[in-house]
Amino acid sequence: EVQLQAFGGGLVQAGGSLSLSCAASEITFDDYAIGWFRQAPGKGREAVSCISRSDGTTYYADSVKGRFTISSDNAESTVHLQMNNLKPEDTAIYYCAAHAVFCTIQTLGIHYWGQGTLVTVSN
């Protein structure tokens, strides 16, 4: 059974940093793009960042460019999201997700979802 396990959420003050990790198991890591979506209270799920294992391309939402960095650890089949200079508007449940080959910003078509991890950024 394919599993995506997300780690690393928590509470941080504005301007602080957090690192999220998504560990994939029972999946051919190279065949998938792994990304992060988030859902704030009362809002829809939006794409945050993604990395494609097939060609190494990355995607960042405009709202996080320059602050978030995504990377992959191939040996551990894990994707990391380093989040710096966090803002209160980054508060959300963050979900890791796998899509075949290339990144997508659409929730439709995501093959696998991990459980969410809560990120709370206080003023």
Side-chain angles (χ1 to χ4, degrees), residues 32-35 49-53 56-59 70-72 79 103:
Y32 288 86
I34 305 294
S49 183
C50 178
I51 185 165
S52 172
R53 287 289 301 124
T57 57
T58 56
Y59 162 81
I70 194 167
S71 61
S72 67
V79 169
C103 290

Side-chain angles (χ1 to χ4, degrees), residues 107-118:
T107 57
L108 184 67
I110 292 294
H111 289 81
Y112 305 106
W113 290 99
Q115 88 286 8
T117 185
L118 178 63

Side-chain angles (χ1 to χ4, degrees), residues 4 6 10 13 21 27 30 32 52 56 64 70 76 78 82-84 94 97 99 101-103 113 121 123:
L4 299 176
Q13 287 188 326
S21 297
I27 191 173
D30 286 356
Y32 288 86
S52 172
V64 306
I70 194 167
E76 298 293 330
T78 301
Q82 178 64 39
M83 306 185 295
N84 297 328
Y94 284 69
H99 184 267
V101 186
F102 300 115
C103 290
W113 290 99
V121 184
N123 286 310

